[in-house]
Amino acid sequence: MFGKKAAARKQKPDYVSQKDLWCWQSREVSRSIVILFAGFLMLYCTDTLQMSAAIVSVVMVVSKVVDAFSNAIAGWIVDNAPVTRWGKARPFELFVIGLWLANFLLFSTPSWFSMTAKVIWVFVMYTLVNSIFYPILVASNTVYFPRAFKKPQINKITSIGGIIVMLVSILFNILFPMMLKVYENSAAGWSHLALIWAIPMAILGLFRMFFIPEKYQIDSSAQDAKKANRVSWKDILTVLKNNRYIWIICFAGFFFNFITSMGVQVYYYKYIAHNVGAMGIVSAANIIVLPLAFLFPRWIKKFSTAKLMSAGFFIASLGYLINYFAGGNVPLLMVGQILFGAGAVPFSMLLVLLILDCADFNEYRGLARMEGTMSSLNNLMNMLGAALGSAGLGVFLSAYGYTGSAATNSGLSILMIRLLFSVVPAVLFFMLGFRLLGYNKLDAQLPTIREALKKKRAQQASDKGTPEK
């Protein structure tokens, strides 16, 4: 009986083996930990390297100038990559090694360097992480995904597989503050922590490349394989001009990352809750929201991905508003964290689905799909939002008298930390919830678009003898 049930499950359109699920998410786990490390960069620079918050902010902003160029190039490189025996996007997975090496060196800045040398070192390593290695991995992800799995499988992996990423992120947020406390925030301690995470995460990040092959040829708008692999700058400008939905996604990504990358929580727990260790305890509350991801495939069919995200932003707004009244009350902070976690999960886990929707829209309109280019544009906006969030934190802290010493911090700087951890993100998330409703028009067109593309790809597969997508 169990054999029959297992066989029946394998016949379902969305069936994904456990091996494929875990291997695909392995690199997403690795990539997510790098993002979480970035949330501690301001603290590392101000309290360990003794750099001023304003200088760190300038470093981050200047690095974004490089980002603007590198993200455009990353998408173009991946979209124009030749199809090798490993596939089109799969070889780019090797960039995860460089990502973790640069991140290790970033958090291993020699403490004996002069201040100028520290600034240069941090800028170079931060730029390597965020402007070189990370953009290529982001661009290749959405090119790789539809060539390795079918649409129902992608929905399932994105929804259920996101639990894996979120669970590891929660564990990181629990363990890292505890580990940081053990190493007493020293320069050598930060370097050891970065190495402890870098080696296993770099190895884990390569699992996808070794075990998940590219199986499908897509882009029915192309007349031949050669054309499918070439995207001109004119093609890119045409898509960016005619696809308003990718700009809605980018707008949401910018402010989402602006909020979540400020890194203000560690300051809040240090100076207002007076217990950095409690940050890990509160983060553990996110485990409660993990089962929600099992409901995403059903909710997506009923409400659409964008509507699910929009509702999540309203819930996250309420969670942040609660933080204003929490002070050092850990149970109340946990309530706020649960609401924020529940609200942020849809956007965090399912964003790739919206980008693939935009790629289908492009193809339906007779344009190049450009998953890589649109992912790079979205990543640029994400990184810009993250950098400005971190930089904004530094600017506000410096402007309101933050000095890095509890004995000399002004009351205004403490108030600013409190507002940045509550009211400011609450207002921004509320705005995002309304803005994402503009995606509804594309949602209404998707059934027609997908049916038309299905017929084109079936004909293309029949003509070329390739697997039907």
Side-chain angles (χ1 to χ4, degrees):
M1 184 173 70
F2 291 108
K4 289 182 179 180
K5 288 184 177 180
R9 282 199 303 270
K10 290 182 179 181
Q11 297 303 314
K12 292 182 177 181
D14 65 348
Y15 172 76
V16 180
S17 69
Q18 289 296 313
K19 185 205 80 170
D20 285 352
L21 176 64
W22 284 89
C23 286
W24 182 262
Q25 292 303 113
S26 64
R27 203 261 274 170
E28 292 304 286
V29 166
S30 180
R31 189 164 64 96
S32 70
I33 299 300
V34 167
I35 297 173
L36 294 173
F37 255 96
F40 291 88
L41 181 59
M42 181 66 75
L43 178 69
Y44 169 66
C45 290
T46 57
D47 291 23
T48 301
L49 299 181
Q50 298 300 304
M51 297 169 64
S52 78
I55 290 177
V56 180
S57 299
V58 171
V59 167
M60 292 179 176
V61 171
V62 172
S63 180
K64 293 308 107 182
V65 175
V66 182
D67 271 2
F69 177 76
S70 65
N71 274 277
I73 293 297
W76 183 84
I77 288 173
V78 176
D79 278 333
N80 285 288
V83 179
T84 68
R85 69 184 186 89
W86 282 81
K88 181 181 176 70
R90 196 176 173 195
F92 291 105
E93 297 296 301
L94 289 170
F95 276 61
V96 76
I97 298 174
L99 181 73
W100 275 104
L101 176 60
N103 192 70
F104 164 68
L105 293 174
L106 173 61
F107 285 92
S108 300
T109 304
S111 58
W112 48 268
F113 270 5
S114 67
M115 187 56 64
T116 300
K118 287 178 182 177
V119 170
I120 294 173
W121 182 280
V122 169
F123 171 77
V124 171
M125 295 307 160
Y126 181 76
T127 300
L128 283 174
V129 171
N130 294 284
S131 304
I132 306 299
F133 299 113
Y134 193 87
I136 287 288
L137 291 172
V138 169
S140 65
N141 184 64
T142 44
V143 177
Y144 194 169
F145 217 162
R147 288 165 174 79
F149 298 100
K150 294 184 178 181
K151 179 65 177 178
Q153 294 174 310
I154 292 174
N155 288 347
K156 186 171 184 178
I157 291 172
T158 305
S159 301
I160 308 303
I163 295 176
I164 300 172
V165 177
M166 189 171 180
L167 181 59
V168 173
S169 298
I170 292 171
L171 290 175
F172 176 88
N173 284 327
I174 294 171
L175 293 174
F176 196 83
M178 296 179 182
M179 297 169 73
L180 186 59
K181 190 174 183 179
V182 170
Y183 284 100
E184 298 181 346
N185 213 17
S186 67
W190 276 102
S191 183
H192 291 156
L193 283 176
L195 184 62
I196 287 170
W197 287 92
I199 294 175
M201 286 297 108
I203 295 172
L204 184 69
L206 294 173
F207 278 23
R208 176 195 291 189
M209 185 188 75
F210 289 130
F211 299 111
I212 305 293
E214 292 185 13
K215 296 179 288 188
Y216 305 108
Q217 173 66 48
I218 60 175
D219 198 343
S220 62
S221 64
Q223 297 300 313
D224 53 54
K226 186 175 181 180
K227 182 180 176 182
N229 291 327
R230 300 305 302 171
V231 174
S232 69
W233 290 104
K234 182 179 178 180
D235 292 332
I236 293 174
L237 292 175
T238 300
V239 164
L240 297 183
K241 180 180 178 181
N242 292 281
N243 191 335
R244 62 184 292 264
Y245 304 106
I246 188 62
W247 292 108
I248 294 176
I249 296 171
C250 290
F251 175 90
F254 174 88
F255 282 102
F256 182 87
N257 283 275
F258 179 90
I259 297 166
T260 58
S261 298
M262 279 193 292
V264 69
Q265 62 269 29
V266 68
Y267 290 92
Y268 182 91
Y269 282 95
K270 183 175 181 179
Y271 295 109
I272 296 177
H274 304 293
N275 184 0
V276 175
M279 189 168 75
I281 298 173
V282 173
S283 295
N286 278 324
I287 295 175
I288 296 174
V289 307
L290 288 181
L292 288 175
F294 289 103
L295 300 175
F296 285 168
R298 184 184 305 174
W299 286 348
I300 289 172
K301 290 179 181 178
K302 188 173 183 181
F303 302 110
S304 86
T305 306
K307 289 179 181 176
L308 188 60
M309 291 179 179
S310 184
F313 285 146
F314 291 131
I315 294 171
S317 176
L318 178 60
Y320 267 115
L321 189 60
I322 288 175
N323 288 343
Y324 182 79
F325 304 98
N329 188 314
V330 173
L332 198 55
L333 286 168
M334 291 180 74
V335 172
Q337 182 63 42
I338 290 170
L339 289 173
F340 164 70
V345 163
F347 191 79
S348 299
M349 290 187 178
L350 306 177
L351 181 60
V352 66
L353 297 182
L354 297 190
I355 294 176
L356 291 176
D357 288 345
C358 286
D360 286 344
F361 176 76
N362 290 343
E363 186 179 350
Y364 179 72
R365 296 280 300 273
L367 306 172
R369 287 182 60 84
M370 285 195 282
E371 300 102 325
T373 298
M374 290 191 296
S375 292
S376 291
L377 175 63
N378 180 69
N379 183 54
L380 170 61
M381 298 301 288
N382 289 348
M383 300 302 288
L384 185 61
L388 291 181
S390 298
L393 175 64
V395 170
F396 281 121
L397 291 181
S398 296
Y400 286 89
Y402 178 79
T403 62
S405 170
T408 58
N409 281 328
S410 68
L412 283 176
S413 68
I414 299 302
L415 175 61
M416 181 55 61
I417 290 171
R418 185 181 180 190
L419 291 175
L420 291 174
F421 192 61
S422 57
V423 176
V424 173
V427 171
L428 290 176
F429 267 121
F430 194 79
M431 291 170 54
L432 283 181
F434 276 108
R435 185 67 186 93
L436 203 57
L437 293 177
Y439 199 85
N440 289 345
K441 189 174 180 180
L442 178 57
D443 278 337
Q445 298 177 61
L446 284 175
T448 301
I449 290 173
R450 287 170 181 159
E451 184 61 30
L453 294 183
K454 183 178 179 181
K455 291 178 180 178
K456 285 184 179 180
R457 289 171 183 166
Q459 183 61 48
Q460 183 184 48
S462 176
D463 293 342
K464 296 184 178 181
T466 55
E468 181 181 345
K469 178 62 177 166

PDB file of all heavy atoms in Angstrom, residues 440-451:
ATOM      1  N   ASN A 440      -1.711  43.269  -9.293  1.00  0.00           N
ATOM      2  CA  ASN A 440      -2.924  42.479  -9.543  1.00  0.00           C
ATOM      3  C   ASN A 440      -3.272  42.347 -11.022  1.00  0.00           C
ATOM      4  O   ASN A 440      -3.835  41.341 -11.452  1.00  0.00           O
ATOM      5  CB  ASN A 440      -4.118  43.085  -8.792  1.00  0.00           C
ATOM      6  CG  ASN A 440      -4.020  42.888  -7.292  1.00  0.00           C
ATOM      7  OD1 ASN A 440      -3.222  42.085  -6.816  1.00  0.00           O
ATOM      8  ND2 ASN A 440      -4.807  43.638  -6.538  1.00  0.00           N
ATOM      9  N   LYS A 441      -2.949  43.368 -11.817  1.00  0.00           N
ATOM     10  CA  LYS A 441      -3.286  43.322 -13.236  1.00  0.00           C
ATOM     11  C   LYS A 441      -2.567  42.193 -13.950  1.00  0.00           C
ATOM     12  O   LYS A 441      -3.145  41.501 -14.802  1.00  0.00           O
ATOM     13  CB  LYS A 441      -2.944  44.663 -13.893  1.00  0.00           C
ATOM     14  CG  LYS A 441      -3.447  44.787 -15.324  1.00  0.00           C
ATOM     15  CD  LYS A 441      -3.197  46.188 -15.871  1.00  0.00           C
ATOM     16  CE  LYS A 441      -3.699  46.310 -17.312  1.00  0.00           C
ATOM     17  NZ  LYS A 441      -3.462  47.675 -17.863  1.00  0.00           N
ATOM     18  N   LEU A 442      -1.290  41.976 -13.602  1.00  0.00           N
ATOM     19  CA  LEU A 442      -0.559  40.859 -14.203  1.00  0.00           C
ATOM     20  C   LEU A 442      -1.103  39.530 -13.705  1.00  0.00           C
ATOM     21  O   LEU A 442      -1.204  38.564 -14.475  1.00  0.00           O
ATOM     22  CB  LEU A 442       0.933  40.965 -13.888  1.00  0.00           C
ATOM     23  CG  LEU A 442       1.808  39.825 -14.435  1.00  0.00           C
ATOM     24  CD1 LEU A 442       1.663  39.700 -15.947  1.00  0.00           C
ATOM     25  CD2 LEU A 442       3.271  40.020 -14.050  1.00  0.00           C
ATOM     26  N   ASP A 443      -1.456  39.465 -12.425  1.00  0.00           N
ATOM     27  CA  ASP A 443      -2.054  38.236 -11.882  1.00  0.00           C
ATOM     28  C   ASP A 443      -3.249  37.787 -12.711  1.00  0.00           C
ATOM     29  O   ASP A 443      -3.431  36.599 -12.981  1.00  0.00           O
ATOM     30  CB  ASP A 443      -2.506  38.457 -10.429  1.00  0.00           C
ATOM     31  CG  ASP A 443      -1.361  38.318  -9.443  1.00  0.00           C
ATOM     32  OD1 ASP A 443      -0.371  37.640  -9.786  1.00  0.00           O
ATOM     33  OD2 ASP A 443      -1.456  38.878  -8.346  1.00  0.00           O
ATOM     34  N   ALA A 444      -4.072  38.757 -13.123  1.00  0.00           N
ATOM     35  CA  ALA A 444      -5.276  38.432 -13.892  1.00  0.00           C
ATOM     36  C   ALA A 444      -4.938  37.873 -15.282  1.00  0.00           C
ATOM     37  O   ALA A 444      -5.697  37.095 -15.856  1.00  0.00           O
ATOM     38  CB  ALA A 444      -6.156  39.666 -14.020  1.00  0.00           C
ATOM     39  N   GLN A 445      -3.774  38.264 -15.829  1.00  0.00           N
ATOM     40  CA  GLN A 445      -3.388  37.820 -17.171  1.00  0.00           C
ATOM     41  C   GLN A 445      -2.636  36.494 -17.173  1.00  0.00           C
ATOM     42  O   GLN A 445      -2.533  35.842 -18.224  1.00  0.00           O
ATOM     43  CB  GLN A 445      -2.475  38.866 -17.822  1.00  0.00           C
ATOM     44  CG  GLN A 445      -3.098  40.233 -18.022  1.00  0.00           C
ATOM     45  CD  GLN A 445      -2.098  41.204 -18.612  1.00  0.00           C
ATOM     46  OE1 GLN A 445      -1.585  40.992 -19.708  1.00  0.00           O
ATOM     47  NE2 GLN A 445      -1.807  42.269 -17.891  1.00  0.00           N
ATOM     48  N   LEU A 446      -2.106  36.079 -16.042  1.00  0.00           N
ATOM     49  CA  LEU A 446      -1.210  34.922 -16.012  1.00  0.00           C
ATOM     50  C   LEU A 446      -1.820  33.621 -16.538  1.00  0.00           C
ATOM     51  O   LEU A 446      -1.135  32.874 -17.253  1.00  0.00           O
ATOM     52  CB  LEU A 446      -0.662  34.722 -14.593  1.00  0.00           C
ATOM     53  CG  LEU A 446       0.436  35.707 -14.185  1.00  0.00           C
ATOM     54  CD1 LEU A 446       0.835  35.501 -12.734  1.00  0.00           C
ATOM     55  CD2 LEU A 446       1.664  35.557 -15.085  1.00  0.00           C
ATOM     56  N   PRO A 447      -3.070  33.279 -16.221  1.00  0.00           N
ATOM     57  CA  PRO A 447      -3.617  32.031 -16.780  1.00  0.00           C
ATOM     58  C   PRO A 447      -3.577  32.009 -18.308  1.00  0.00           C
ATOM     59  O   PRO A 447      -3.206  30.996 -18.920  1.00  0.00           O
ATOM     60  CB  PRO A 447      -5.058  32.024 -16.251  1.00  0.00           C
ATOM     61  CG  PRO A 447      -5.002  32.807 -14.986  1.00  0.00           C
ATOM     62  CD  PRO A 447      -4.019  33.901 -15.265  1.00  0.00           C
ATOM     63  N   THR A 448      -3.940  33.125 -18.935  1.00  0.00           N
ATOM     64  CA  THR A 448      -3.904  33.208 -20.402  1.00  0.00           C
ATOM     65  C   THR A 448      -2.472  33.112 -20.914  1.00  0.00           C
ATOM     66  O   THR A 448      -2.192  32.417 -21.901  1.00  0.00           O
ATOM     67  CB  THR A 448      -4.524  34.536 -20.870  1.00  0.00           C
ATOM     68  OG1 THR A 448      -5.876  34.615 -20.415  1.00  0.00           O
ATOM     69  CG2 THR A 448      -4.493  34.645 -22.388  1.00  0.00           C
ATOM     70  N   ILE A 449      -1.550  33.801 -20.240  1.00  0.00           N
ATOM     71  CA  ILE A 449      -0.148  33.796 -20.641  1.00  0.00           C
ATOM     72  C   ILE A 449       0.438  32.390 -20.565  1.00  0.00           C
ATOM     73  O   ILE A 449       1.099  31.913 -21.502  1.00  0.00           O
ATOM     74  CB  ILE A 449       0.663  34.766 -19.755  1.00  0.00           C
ATOM     75  CG1 ILE A 449       0.278  36.210 -20.068  1.00  0.00           C
ATOM     76  CG2 ILE A 449       2.165  34.559 -19.931  1.00  0.00           C
ATOM     77  CD1 ILE A 449       0.897  37.232 -19.131  1.00  0.00           C
ATOM     78  N   ARG A 450       0.191  31.708 -19.473  1.00  0.00           N
ATOM     79  CA  ARG A 450       0.779  30.377 -19.279  1.00  0.00           C
ATOM     80  C   ARG A 450       0.214  29.352 -20.256  1.00  0.00           C
ATOM     81  O   ARG A 450       0.933  28.470 -20.730  1.00  0.00           O
ATOM     82  CB  ARG A 450       0.569  29.935 -17.834  1.00  0.00           C
ATOM     83  CG  ARG A 450       1.461  30.694 -16.860  1.00  0.00           C
ATOM     84  CD  ARG A 450       1.100  30.438 -15.423  1.00  0.00           C
ATOM     85  NE  ARG A 450       1.970  31.205 -14.536  1.00  0.00           N
ATOM     86  CZ  ARG A 450       1.669  31.498 -13.290  1.00  0.00           C
ATOM     87  NH1 ARG A 450       0.519  31.097 -12.757  1.00  0.00           N
ATOM     88  NH2 ARG A 450       2.512  32.186 -12.533  1.00  0.00           N
ATOM     89  N   GLU A 451      -1.056  29.465 -20.549  1.00  0.00           N
ATOM     90  CA  GLU A 451      -1.657  28.523 -21.504  1.00  0.00           C
ATOM     91  C   GLU A 451      -1.059  28.736 -22.896  1.00  0.00           C
ATOM     92  O   GLU A 451      -0.751  27.761 -23.610  1.00  0.00           O
ATOM     93  CB  GLU A 451      -3.170  28.722 -21.537  1.00  0.00           C
ATOM     94  CG  GLU A 451      -3.906  27.728 -22.437  1.00  0.00           C
ATOM     95  CD  GLU A 451      -3.725  26.292 -22.010  1.00  0.00           C
ATOM     96  OE1 GLU A 451      -3.541  26.035 -20.801  1.00  0.00           O
ATOM     97  OE2 GLU A 451      -3.751  25.395 -22.896  1.00  0.00           O
TER      98      GLU A 451
END
